[in-house]
Structures are given as structure tokens and as C-alpha cells.
Amino acid sequence: KFQFWRPITAFLNFGPLSLGWLMTAHFVWTYMSTLERLNYATPYEFWYMIAFGGTSMVLGYTVLKIPPRFLGHNLSTFLVYVWSRYHEGLEVNMFEMFNTRAEMLPWFFLAQTFLLEGEFPILDLLGIVFGHVYHYLRGVGG
């Protein structure tokens, strides 16, 4: 049987409940609503971006033969990268602990994965790469 919902619902999984999960959920909630409201004239443009990110991840991981885990976290890295490119130079407060510039946020995601999960963040890095491709194509085409 073809289970057509699996490629879509895989992006709803952020992994097991942990500090990393809570941080990812916080980033998605905080920054994606801003991204949609300020940078996209109509909601379908925002969904095109999400569809591009999801499709590029599924295809990219298949071509590279990398087993994807918790695609929701990787899609959020893609989205945070796109957000950070639109808001370069903006000071971002990180959990009321320290400030950083918006363009450093995706790299914070990489460090979060490495420090909290103890693994090399190759999937997060690919989310950044796909986000860069999207930002470049949108800048050239639009």
C-alpha cells in the first residue's frame, strides 16, 4: 500500500520530548509566525517555502542515502535559516540569557543538536544548505 501521508507527517515529529524538543518548538512558534506575517504577502507563498524545504529534504536525503530522523527539527532549521536571512543584523534574545545576531541563529541550532544530542548535526547542516538554496533562488527569481 502507498501511504501518501508519511512524507507529510514526518515533518510533524520533532523527536522525543527533551530540552532540544522544547527549544525547537519555541523557535518554530516565535520566528515562523513573524516570517509569515512580515515576509510573505499571501499565505500560499509561505506554504510554497515549506513545500520547497520539505521536498528538497526528502529528495536530498534519498539521493545522499542519509536516513532522516525527526524531519520536523530539520525543517525548522531550514525555516530558521530563511528567517535569519530576512532579518540579518537584528539582535535576537536567546531565552533571556544572551543576545546574538539573527544570522547566527541557524548555527545555534547546529550547536544545540551537537551539545544536547551528542551527534554531528549533518541533517541540520543540510537544512541550512536547502535554506540557502531557497533564499538564493527566491532572491534571483523574485
Side-chain angles (χ1 to χ4, degrees):
K1 284 174 140 178
F2 180 68
Q3 300 173 351
F4 61 90
W5 63 87
R6 290 210 183 246
I8 297 166
T9 58
F11 291 100
L12 301 176
N13 187 355
F14 291 109
L17 186 60
S18 65
L19 180 60
W21 187 94
L22 293 172
M23 292 171 73
T24 300
H26 169 74
F27 281 118
V28 169
W29 180 264
T30 301
Y31 299 113
M32 295 317 99
S33 62
T34 312
L35 180 64
E36 180 181 15
R37 278 181 301 174
L38 298 179
N39 299 99
Y40 293 95
T42 57
Y44 72 85
E45 290 178 350
F46 182 74
W47 287 105
Y48 283 157
M49 178 191 62
I50 290 176
F52 176 87
T55 302
S56 61
M57 285 181 195
V58 168
L59 294 175
Y61 297 163
T62 302
V63 168
L64 296 172
K65 295 183 179 20
I66 297 173
R69 294 180 2 163
F70 313 130
L71 290 175
H73 178 78
N74 304 125
L75 184 62
S76 65
T77 305
F78 166 84
L79 295 171
V80 166
Y81 180 84
V82 173
W83 181 91
S84 72
R85 293 303 302 259
Y86 285 124
H87 298 91
E88 287 182 23
L90 182 71
E91 287 289 319
V92 178
N93 186 303
M94 303 296 297
F95 306 108
E96 302 296 329
M97 295 172 60
F98 62 92
N99 290 339
T100 187
R101 294 172 60 97
E103 55 269 19
M104 297 304 296
L105 212 50
W107 307 107
F108 179 82
F109 252 49
L110 286 176
Q112 169 192 322
T113 299
F114 182 72
L115 294 173
L116 295 179
E117 297 175 18
E119 61 184 40
F120 186 75
I122 187 69
L123 298 177
D124 292 355
L125 190 58
L126 288 173
I128 290 173
V129 168
F130 296 139
H132 184 74
V133 168
Y134 173 81
H135 183 74
Y136 176 77
L137 291 174
R138 184 149 195 252
V140 170

